[in-house]
Amino acid sequence: MRLTYLDESGSSDGTHYIFGALVCDITQAKSIETRMDQLGAALSQKYSGTILPSTEFHAVEIRHGKGFWRHITMEDRFEVLREVVYAVESANPQFVTRSINIPGYKSRYGENALPVHQQAMGYILEQVEHQMARFFSDELTVLFADEHHSAPDARANLRRAKSSAVRGKVSVPLTHIFDTVYFGPSDYSRPLQAVDICTYFYMQSRFSSPAKDPWARSQIESICEVVDRFLQFEYEWPS
């Protein structure tokens, strides 16, 4: 049985919507969790009273110093993000992405365009099915995603797609996906936090303008390079 963790990211200019997926076995997921827990413990010792060992690692908040992260130095914030992607690289799961070019998508389908989140979810589930069929054909995977208001629709669409392809959403039956998609708060899941950070930096490398500050730009680029090393599949549509 595989564990697949899903998260989405959007470009700051609103032109692209991206879903990322980490496909892991239990040992890989546990490795990511352990490394991130160790990172949280180390940070809580350095920033006692500000960071708890269980603190959630969320890309946007850390990158921009939001909330209590504003009390953490920029150098340490980038180090946290770098250590998370190193933890993923070390665990060696599969990381795949599917992206939607929003202007192109809406231009092509007009009033018939589905909500972008729903369309992108369909595409990433299709890609997870392809990964499973190609590399783990005798296994199934369970899906986990961060809480989202569209969760009921996602579950209903997945139920349909498990038995047959769904026109405009998934081109193949999702026969390697077990049960349903489980939505939960990412603050209690290190692998969900990890896929959030990986997907964010994938978005930064493909669809975001470079940071104006040279030092920050170099930090972002170095983290993006790590993510690219373990990225196994990407596709933008319409390209």
Side-chain angles (χ1 to χ4, degrees):
M1 181 71 72
R2 298 271 153 178
L3 311 176
T4 296
Y5 298 90
L6 309 169
D7 200 50
E8 76 276 5
S9 185
S11 60
S12 58
D13 62 2
T15 61
H16 288 84
Y17 195 86
I18 305 99
F19 249 103
L22 282 177
V23 183
C24 316
D25 63 24
I26 188 64
T27 301
Q28 292 164 333
K30 184 62 179 175
S31 173
I32 292 169
E33 180 186 61
T34 299
R35 289 276 297 271
M36 292 177 69
D37 281 345
Q38 291 170 345
L39 181 58
L43 276 172
S44 71
Q45 291 184 345
K46 184 171 184 178
Y47 293 96
S48 178
T50 301
I51 298 288
L52 297 174
S54 59
T55 290
E56 179 181 9
F57 298 142
H58 191 274
V60 172
E61 279 73 11
I62 301 174
R63 162 74 176 85
H64 296 287
K66 294 184 177 182
F68 56 80
W69 290 102
R70 69 182 181 274
H71 301 297
I72 311 304
T73 67
M74 185 180 293
E75 291 81 359
D76 281 348
R77 297 203 313 270
F78 273 115
E79 187 62 21
V80 167
L81 296 167
R82 183 177 293 103
E83 286 299 317
V84 171
V85 298
Y86 278 153
V88 175
E89 181 181 37
S90 176
N92 195 33
Q94 293 203 352
F95 178 54
V96 297
T97 65
R98 292 288 295 265
S99 307
I100 291 181
N101 180 314
I102 297 174
Y105 173 63
K106 291 185 175 180
S107 175
R108 179 170 296 195
Y109 288 102
E111 295 181 354
N112 295 320
L114 295 171
V116 172
H117 180 276
Q118 185 181 133
Q119 187 72 69
M121 171 71 92
Y123 288 157
I124 196 64
L125 295 185
E126 177 183 82
Q127 192 57 46
V128 169
E129 173 63 31
H130 287 320
Q131 299 301 118
M132 291 296 299
R134 180 178 179 184
F135 298 103
F136 315 110
S137 60
D138 59 344
E139 297 184 58
L140 299 175
T141 186
V142 180
L143 303 174
F144 301 94
D146 197 5
E147 291 178 318
H148 196 275
H149 63 83
S150 68
D153 288 339
R155 294 189 184 101
N157 289 332
L158 173 59
R159 182 165 184 167
R160 287 180 58 202
K162 287 174 68 176
S163 59
S164 64
V166 179
R167 184 177 180 182
K169 293 182 181 179
V170 294
S171 62
V172 295
L174 305 180
T175 58
H176 287 85
I177 293 177
F178 177 73
D179 201 16
T180 187
V181 53
Y182 293 92
F183 290 86
S186 62
D187 50 338
Y188 294 105
S189 171
R190 291 302 195 198
L192 277 179
Q193 295 165 33
V195 72
D196 166 82
I197 291 171
C198 293
T199 305
Y200 174 82
F201 280 100
Y202 170 81
M203 180 275 295
Q204 287 284 312
S205 68
R206 300 301 193 271
F207 309 118
S208 182
S209 299
K212 294 181 180 179
D213 178 74
W215 183 84
R217 183 166 63 249
S218 69
Q219 298 300 301
I220 293 170
E221 289 173 351
S222 69
I223 296 172
C224 289
E225 288 173 1
V226 179
V227 173
D228 272 346
R229 291 203 297 258
F230 57 78
L231 175 68
Q232 295 211 2
F233 182 88
E234 61 178 318
Y235 186 72
E236 174 191 354
W237 190 91
S239 54

